[in-house]
Amino acid sequence: MTTSSSLRRLHPAPVTTTTVGDAYDVLRPAPADRPWMNLCMVSSLDGSVAIDGSSGGLGNPNDREVLTTLRRLADVVLVGAGTAMGEGYGPPSKPGQRIAVATNSGRVDLDRPLFESGAGFLIAPESAVVDETRVDVLRAGRDRLDVALAVTRLGEISGRDVHLVQAEGGPTLNGALWEAGLVDELDLTISPIIAGGDAPRIVSGAAQLRARMELAHLLSDDDGFVFGRWLRRHG
Ligand SMILES: NC(=O)c1ccc[n+]([C@@H]2O[C@H](COP(=O)([O-])OP(=O)(O)OC[C@H]3O[C@@H](n4cnc5c(N)ncnc54)[C@H](OP(=O)(O)O)[C@@H]3O)[C@@H](O)[C@H]2O)c1
């Protein structure tokens, strides 16, 4: 499939047809002390986030439209260094948008177009050795990135008020975001594929969490993909 197929909204009732725009372009009230954070991921039926090392083989056109729609709405995109490098992140298509790349080590290839364009910047602890003449760096934490602090300060480096952050994984970064209680929304596409292999689940390396989510919508398409939007239950 190279073009989007029609979407059915299964929840909330009544069952109806919908579009990615109508389903995902909704109000997201930021908490008082930080931006709203949505996490957008795709997973196979058996919980894998990758086939042959990348998420590309799991998606379809509707999944990609969900990702690009959410990106368009976001002030900043946040991604782990492994994903930014492995999935070949380039500059964003939304003018002025910036992409924050989380790293502890600072060992990130600054020759990539993402950084040469000036759109990419690093969030890193004080200990990370980075050539700051080549890339903006938001420092938070001494030896390990303090991701909660970094998220509250994204506006300092992105040059705009940050109300909505779109996190895009990978699983290691997701683990830290969830442990810090920073994820307000999970936009999870379930791909009708059993992937096998040993790629991680969508959250990796976190302590036992039991973070309770509530289903905001469930969509499906003619390819058998299922698109869930889940909101963090507070309290
Ligand atoms: N299915 C999907 O939706 C989806 C989405 C994204 C990624 N993926 C897949 O996930 C796999 C990569 O997984 P991954 O867990 O290695 O990805 P990742 O979290 O993007 O990358 C791990 C690296 O990112 C940095 N990092 C992560 N969390 C950090 C934190 N809290 N503080 C500071 N730095 C942090 C570290 O970089 P340094 O080593 O530089 O310190 C770490 O080694 C790939 O196969 C990719 O295709 C799938």
Side-chain angles (χ1 to χ4, degrees), residues 41-42 49 53 55 80-83 87 102-105 145 168 170-173 176:
M41 297 289 290
V42 58
V49 296
S55 61
T83 297
E87 302 243 346
T103 173
N104 277 311
S105 71
L145 175 66
E168 299 185 355
T172 307
L173 177 61

Side-chain angles (χ1 to χ4, degrees), residues 3 45 48 68 74-75 81 90 119 122 146 153 165 175 180 184 198 207 209 225:
T3 55
L45 287 175
S48 174
T68 55
D75 300 303
L122 301 182
D146 182 337
R153 292 177 44 203
V165 175
D184 300 294
D198 57 4
L209 290 169
F225 282 66

Side-chain angles (χ1 to χ4, degrees), residues 127-225:
S127 58
V129 179
V130 182
D131 181 353
E132 296 198 27
T133 65
R134 299 192 61 200
V135 67
D136 290 335
V137 186
L138 175 58
R139 303 276 181 178
R142 212 170 64 177
D143 299 318
R144 307 283 301 168
L145 175 66
D146 182 337
V147 72
L149 179 61
V151 164
T152 62
R153 292 177 44 203
L154 285 171
E156 291 175 22
I157 213 152
S158 64
R160 58 167 72 186
D161 286 346
V162 177
H163 302 287
L164 178 58
V165 175
Q166 155 96 336
E168 299 185 355
T172 307
L173 177 61
N174 296 349
L177 296 177
W178 236 295
E179 272 191 333
L182 293 170
V183 180
D184 300 294
E185 168 179 348
L186 171 65
D187 299 297
L188 178 63
T189 298
I190 306 288
S191 175
I193 292 174
I194 298 291
D198 57 4
R201 296 176 288 141
I202 63 169
V203 177
S204 173
Q208 198 81 59
L209 290 169
R210 294 194 180 84
R212 185 76 164 83
M213 308 294 285
E214 283 178 352
L215 185 60
H217 78 215
L218 196 66
L219 319 179
S220 71
D221 70 12
D222 295 341
D223 295 343
F225 282 66

Side-chain angles (χ1 to χ4, degrees), residues 37-53:
M37 184 178 294
N38 58 263
L39 170 60
C40 186
M41 297 289 290
V42 58
S43 161
S44 69
L45 287 175
D46 53 335
S48 174
V49 296
I51 293 182
D52 290 336

